[in-house]
Amino acid sequence: MTRLALVTGGTTGIGAATCNALKEAGYTVAANYASNDEAAKKFEQDTGIKTYKWDVTDPEQCVKGVEKVCGDFGGTIEILVNNAGITRDAMMHKMTVENWNAVLSTDLSACFYMSRAVVSAMREKGFGRIVNISSVNGQMGQIGQTNYSAAKAGLIGFTKALARESASKGITVNAVAPGYTDTAMVRAVPEPVLKSLIAQIPIGRLGRPEEIAHAVLFLVSDKSGFITGETLSINGGHHME
Ligand code: NDP
């Protein structure tokens, strides 16, 4: 078996593109998802990539999910892409505790639950690749997204810390920070808002899921073993410093 990769939220959008890119490059791939059985079924039929339903905000389900994937393929997870994410946008004065907690648990805590579930096997093997999908809005901040921006910025700190503590074990941990990318998440943004967001992108268009997947593929390669703790921005030309 080739290296075993698990992508959370792997059945749609950036996650699906990442699964496809990994499969095309010869990796063995498993895709997790939360609730959209129809999308998962179609994805599995179209790609032949096996899908696994569990909620990444539940630490026990993460452990069981990883065990199931490893049992099915007869190996351990060597590549983890923490991609599952949601938005619950609201201005601070209208942000509910539910909106805050939902985003923090899906976009940040899940990364801890999933990384913890795979890292011991990676340490034993002396090889691992973890890529966390952050966001331009974690780097820049965005109106109505204190929850999302906090979670995505948190991922960058998480990435740097786990990279340091895993560096001597052959495990690299990096983040990818996409700009606005053409997926269901962005198609939910009201048209006039989306137009003004696109107008602020120097390249003048949305990113394509495949363009984000391409960066993930680069980072998980055996050849990328000297890159760790890094955040790769893929956002059509925004400059962060
Ligand atoms: P989509 O909404 O297309 O896909 C999200 C995926 O995450 C779905 O497969 C969904 O499963 C899964 N998911 C959500 N919650 C959970 C959960 N609790 N447990 C397991 N899976 C879950 O989003 P995108 O492809 O746009 O986004 C992918 C990642 O990229 C996210 O982390 C997002 O924040 C980030 N990102 C996206 C940008 C964009 O412009 N699109 C820009 C910057 C970052 P199901 O379908 O079953 O609900």
Side-chain angles (χ1 to χ4, degrees):
M1 188 179 69
T2 55
R3 291 205 184 281
L4 177 56
L6 171 62
V7 181
T8 68
T11 54
T12 62
I14 292 170
T18 301
C19 286
N20 287 329
L22 288 166
K23 187 184 174 206
E24 208 170 293
Y27 294 94
T28 304
V29 186
N32 149 271
Y33 71 104
S35 57
N36 190 340
D37 297 319
E38 209 177 306
K41 198 173 163 201
K42 185 170 182 325
F43 173 78
E44 190 160 325
Q45 277 167 355
D46 289 350
T47 63
I49 293 169
K50 214 164 154 33
T51 61
Y52 294 85
K53 182 176 181 171
W54 78 83
D55 179 354
V56 293
T57 68
D58 178 338
E60 275 181 33
Q61 287 187 42
C62 291
V63 170
K64 287 195 178 127
V66 166
E67 281 172 3
K68 173 87 176 104
V69 173
C70 292
D72 284 359
F73 289 98
T76 59
I77 309 289
E78 293 161 294
I79 296 166
L80 171 67
V81 184
N82 284 307
N83 165 78
I86 58 167
T87 51
R88 294 283 183 275
D89 296 357
M91 298 293 277
M92 171 60 45
H93 56 286
K94 292 185 179 162
M95 173 86 57
T96 63
V97 171
E98 287 74 21
N99 285 343
W100 175 267
N101 286 337
V103 170
L104 266 289
S105 41
T106 312
D107 294 52
L108 181 58
S109 299
C111 178
F112 157 54
Y113 304 142
M114 285 302 304
S115 300
R116 189 177 55 168
V118 302
V119 81
S120 297
M122 288 178 175
R123 291 175 75 90
E124 268 167 40
K125 188 167 261 185
F127 179 88
R129 296 281 182 267
I130 298 178
V131 178
N132 301 318
I133 306 299
S134 179
S135 168
V136 68
N137 290 348
Q139 298 168 302
M140 293 172 56
Q142 184 55 285
I143 295 166
Q145 288 199 324
T146 49
N147 52 359
Y148 186 78
S149 299
K152 294 298 190 182
L155 275 185
I156 293 173
F158 177 97
T159 298
K160 289 178 183 170
L162 185 57
R164 277 186 188 272
E165 70 178 52
S166 308
S168 64
K169 299 289 181 187
I171 304 166
T172 68
V173 187
N174 291 288
V176 166
Y180 288 93
T181 307
D182 190 7
T183 71
M185 184 180 271
V186 158
R187 285 192 287 274
V189 174
E191 175 116 22
V193 179
L194 189 57
K195 269 195 177 154
S196 80
L197 290 171
I198 293 172
Q200 291 164 43
I201 302 171
I203 288 182
R205 63 165 173 84
L206 295 175
R208 301 184 188 104
E210 299 72 29
E211 292 172 318
I212 312 304
H214 181 63
V216 177
L217 192 62
F218 164 70
L219 289 170
V220 305
S221 163
D222 278 36
K223 293 179 185 164
S224 296
F226 205 52
I227 306 173
T228 196
E230 195 53 61
T231 297
L232 182 49
S233 302
I234 308 165
N235 59 32
H238 287 297
H239 287 284
M240 296 305 150
E241 268 98 22

